[in-house]
Amino acid sequence: MTLWAIVPVKPLRRGKSRLSGMLTEDERTALNQELLERTLKTLSTLKELDQVLVVSRDQPHLNTALARATVVAQVHSTQGVLVLPADLPLLTPEDVLTLIDRAAKPPVVVIAPDRHGKGTNALLMVPAGQIEYDFGEGSFQRHCDRAIKSGARLEIVEL
């Protein structure tokens, strides 16, 4: 299976704004850069990923930017896409492999919820474009609903 990872990243100076009371803008910028570099390094170690595409959050809407990135992946004949935000500090190669392992027997949508069970920390689709992206507050349930409605097998992975 050909699989691309798509990594959305906010402009480094704007990410982690909720930490603005504890970290200066320069410190948040450095943190965001470190998280992005760490994510890319983690992904680059995996032979299961054919390509890693970084999508700038300078786009007006994240979901539109992700949809455009998915079209690029589809043009290059990728079978699946894994959307993985750049700011997951505990991400390991084993986590990514767990997601990939659950993507057997398409059509399938694999979702890793955030720790509150409300947001989406990872979204893997085979085939690419199986569902429309709907990141934002409460995205986990919306992504689950879209997966079921699309007829894909839904796999939820708690990481």
Side-chain angles (χ1 to χ4, degrees):
M1 167 174 63
T2 55
L3 180 63
W4 282 29
I6 301 173
V7 180
V9 60
K10 289 181 182 178
L12 298 178
R13 289 206 165 289
R14 292 200 337 232
K16 295 296 182 196
S17 58
R18 69 181 177 276
L19 298 176
S20 61
M22 300 194 280
L23 299 175
T24 68
E25 183 177 294
D26 287 343
E27 290 170 329
R28 288 193 324 273
T29 299
L31 173 62
N32 288 319
Q33 183 170 344
E34 184 176 322
L35 288 170
L36 174 60
E37 289 173 2
R38 186 179 184 285
T39 299
L40 295 176
K41 183 176 179 182
T42 298
L43 295 175
S44 71
T45 66
L46 298 171
K47 66 178 177 16
E48 291 79 3
L49 294 173
D50 296 284
Q51 200 67 248
V52 177
L53 181 61
V54 176
V55 177
S56 169
R57 293 280 299 271
D58 285 331
Q59 297 279 340
H61 300 286
L62 170 62
N63 295 312
T64 301
L66 291 171
R68 289 176 181 166
T70 299
V71 169
V72 170
Q74 290 170 313
V75 166
H76 290 278
S77 300
T78 189
Q79 294 167 312
V81 292
L82 167 63
V83 176
L84 202 60
D87 63 352
L88 301 173
L90 302 178
L91 180 70
T92 66
E94 292 75 27
D95 293 333
V96 179
L97 290 174
T98 298
L99 294 165
I100 293 170
D101 287 345
R102 298 285 288 273
K105 300 178 188 167
V108 62
V109 176
V110 182
I111 306 173
D114 67 10
R115 63 187 164 123
H116 304 293
K118 297 188 185 293
T120 304
N121 276 353
L123 178 63
L124 192 157
M125 293 184 273
V126 182
Q130 177 69 32
I131 65 169
E132 187 177 331
Y133 297 109
D134 202 353
F135 283 91
E137 192 170 329
S139 66
F140 172 67
Q141 189 60 55
R142 290 191 306 275
H143 284 137
C144 288
D145 292 344
R146 286 174 187 229
I148 292 166
K149 191 173 183 177
S150 79
R153 185 168 45 84
L154 173 63
E155 293 280 340
I156 298 171
V157 180
E158 303 273 346
L159 296 172

